[in-house]
Amino acid sequence: MKEPRFVSRDKVRDYECDLQGIVNNANYMHYLEHARHEFLLSEHVSFAELHERGIDAVVARVQMSLKVSLRPGDEYECQLRVEKDGVKYLFQQEIWRASDMKLCVSATITSVCLIDGKLGTHPELDALCE
């Protein structure tokens, strides 16, 4: 990934792991989503406020490759870039284990914007793209 636009840091909690002692795959989606929401807040864009105005950014597609498992207590960082492709907003995201900077997850999250229920784009979201 090129230089990230945004980086969030967090730590794996015990309850996010399965019987094998590794993060359950579904929780990586939560990590990625949390990073996107933190990115929006860092850019003074409120997901809730957009919704109140009839503007909903929704996930349309997820492509995710799991590389190395995180374990309880592991600190990690989620790196994010975003670009626009027509009406789609493409979030390129990676999760790296902080202790050795091993790549754990590589993902492309495709989001679209619904304005009063109709597919479109919005200047506030467009401004977030590189």
Side-chain angles (χ1 to χ4, degrees):
M1 177 188 293
K2 296 178 187 175
E3 188 69 25
R5 170 87 183 271
F6 179 79
V7 176
S8 69
R9 291 177 176 80
D10 208 343
K11 182 172 142 178
V12 174
R13 291 158 287 277
D14 293 344
Y15 65 84
E16 297 168 332
C17 298
D18 56 25
L19 287 173
Q20 295 133 332
I22 58 176
V23 170
N24 181 276
N25 60 66
N27 285 310
Y28 292 110
M29 288 291 295
H30 294 288
Y31 299 167
L32 296 168
E33 180 176 27
H34 180 70
R36 289 192 307 278
H37 285 235
E38 289 296 310
F39 167 64
L40 290 174
L41 288 173
S42 77
E43 296 289 327
H44 310 288
V45 175
S46 166
F47 202 67
E49 183 183 304
L50 287 174
H51 172 72
E52 289 171 9
R53 295 183 357 228
I55 304 160
D56 292 306
V58 297
V59 171
R61 182 175 185 181
V62 174
Q63 293 174 275
M64 184 168 60
S65 296
L66 304 170
K67 308 285 187 179
V68 172
S69 296
L70 289 169
R71 298 184 174 279
D74 279 347
E75 293 183 5
Y76 64 89
E77 66 178 47
C78 186
Q79 300 180 1
L80 175 150
R81 291 181 64 247
V82 62
E83 59 191 48
K84 192 164 182 253
D85 179 20
V87 296
K88 298 182 278 188
Y89 300 93
L90 305 176
F91 290 87
Q92 306 294 333
Q93 293 182 259
E94 294 176 340
I95 297 174
W96 296 82
R97 185 169 55 205
S99 63
D100 56 7
M101 291 309 287
K102 287 215 178 205
L103 179 62
C104 299
V105 175
S106 178
T108 301
I109 310 299
T110 303
S111 181
V112 295
C113 184
L114 300 175
I115 302 170
D116 295 321
K118 295 183 180 172
L119 187 63
T121 62
H122 194 273
E124 285 176 82
L125 298 175
D126 292 351
L128 302 174
C129 300
E130 301 169 336

